[in-house]
């Protein structure tokens, strides 16, 4: 039975949250963008999620972010790369995890935790048909970013390979740099 056909008593909390998200997204689209379809929208029509990893701010367009969640149980995978700590459940689906600290040569999320019981946060990103949980330290802000700098990515930097960082931008209010991630390259790992 579809969510639209269920009565309020039959809806689970997750169904209600998803239904509200969908309705809000549709209402915002109509109000802010007129009658544009999803295909007509560009990256500039979506806000950016600015997040921190080891004291550096990164950004990813919210068009690619499905959710921000606390990671539950992680199931390690045999012979996985150091930047892939395993899989976890997200909204009923099993997804691969990506540890940005390990990918950028900054240790790993386990050694960075001050307390073993501290929650670990992930952003579930999607490019094409692939979903992946990207482990982050914190969400800094959700904002529109329009000031993209040209020619700033340095391929020689070990921690921020231009393979994963496509641009550098500055945040409007704080004028602080944000490294813009390339979600396609993250999902291709």
């Amino acid at each position: 039975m579809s969510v639209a056909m269920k009565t309020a008593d039959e809806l689970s909390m997750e169904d209600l949250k998803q239904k509200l998200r969908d309705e809000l997204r549709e209402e915002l689209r109509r109000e802010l963008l007129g009658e544009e379809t999803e295909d007509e929208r560009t990256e500039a029509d979506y806000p950016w999620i600015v997040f921190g990893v080891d004291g550096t701010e990164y950004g990813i367009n919210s068009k690619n972010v499905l959710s921000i969640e606390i990671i539950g149980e992680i199931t390690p995978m045999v012979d996985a790369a150091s930047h892939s700590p395993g899989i976890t459940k997200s909204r009923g689906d099993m997804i691969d995890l990506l540890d940005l600290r390990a990918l950028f040569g900054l240790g790993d999320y386990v050694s960075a935790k001050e307390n073993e019981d501290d929650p670990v946060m992930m952003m579930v990103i999607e490019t094409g048909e692939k979903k992946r949980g990207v482990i982050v330290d914190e969400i800094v802000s959700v904002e529109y970013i329009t000031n993209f700098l040209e020619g700033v990515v340095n391929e020689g930097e070990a921690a921020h390979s231009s393979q994963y960082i496509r641009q550098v931008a500055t945040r409007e209010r704080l004028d602080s740099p944000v490294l813009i991630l390339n979600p396609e390259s993250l999902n291709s790992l």
Side-chain angles (χ1 to χ4, degrees), residues 148-164:
F148 294 92
L149 308 174
E150 296 299 321
V152 178
V153 175
N154 179 1
E155 291 185 35
E157 287 186 59
H160 302 115
S161 169
S162 63
Q163 176 182 356
Y164 308 114

Side-chain angles (χ1 to χ4, degrees), residues 64-178:
N64 298 105
V65 178
L66 297 176
S67 64
I68 299 171
E69 307 172 22
I70 300 297
I71 297 175
E73 184 177 334
I74 297 174
T75 303
M77 299 301 290
V78 177
D79 295 330
S82 63
H83 60 267
S84 298
I87 58 175
T88 192
K89 199 169 202 171
S90 170
R91 299 182 183 200
D93 294 329
M94 294 303 288
I95 60 170
D96 293 324
L97 288 171
L98 174 63
D99 185 347
L100 289 181
R101 284 177 176 269
L103 182 65
F104 295 153
L106 304 169
D108 60 71
Y109 81 94
V110 172
S111 61
K113 287 174 53 171
E114 291 179 19
N115 181 350
E116 187 176 310
D117 296 328
D118 286 345
V120 178
M121 187 179 307
M122 73 173 168
M123 289 187 311
V124 179
I125 65 170
E126 180 178 46
T127 54
E129 296 295 316
K130 188 170 183 180
K131 295 178 187 177
R132 173 168 253 171
V134 178
I135 300 170
V136 301
D137 293 347
E138 65 178 332
I139 301 299
V140 175
S141 69
V142 178
E143 60 188 84
Y144 286 92
I145 296 177
T146 57
N147 190 19
F148 294 92
L149 308 174
E150 296 299 321
V152 178
V153 175
N154 179 1
E155 291 185 35
E157 287 186 59
H160 302 115
S161 169
S162 63
Q163 176 182 356
Y164 308 114
I165 307 301
R166 72 171 200 209
Q167 280 180 296
V168 176
T170 57
R171 294 175 61 198
E172 303 295 325
R173 294 182 297 257
L174 301 176
D175 200 33
S176 61
V178 176

Side-chain angles (χ1 to χ4, degrees), residues 3-4 11 14-24:
V3 172
L11 290 174
E14 193 64 82
D15 288 340
L16 285 172
K17 286 179 184 177
Q18 186 61 46
K19 185 173 188 322
L20 288 173
R21 275 190 222 100
D22 293 344
E23 288 174 3
L24 180 60

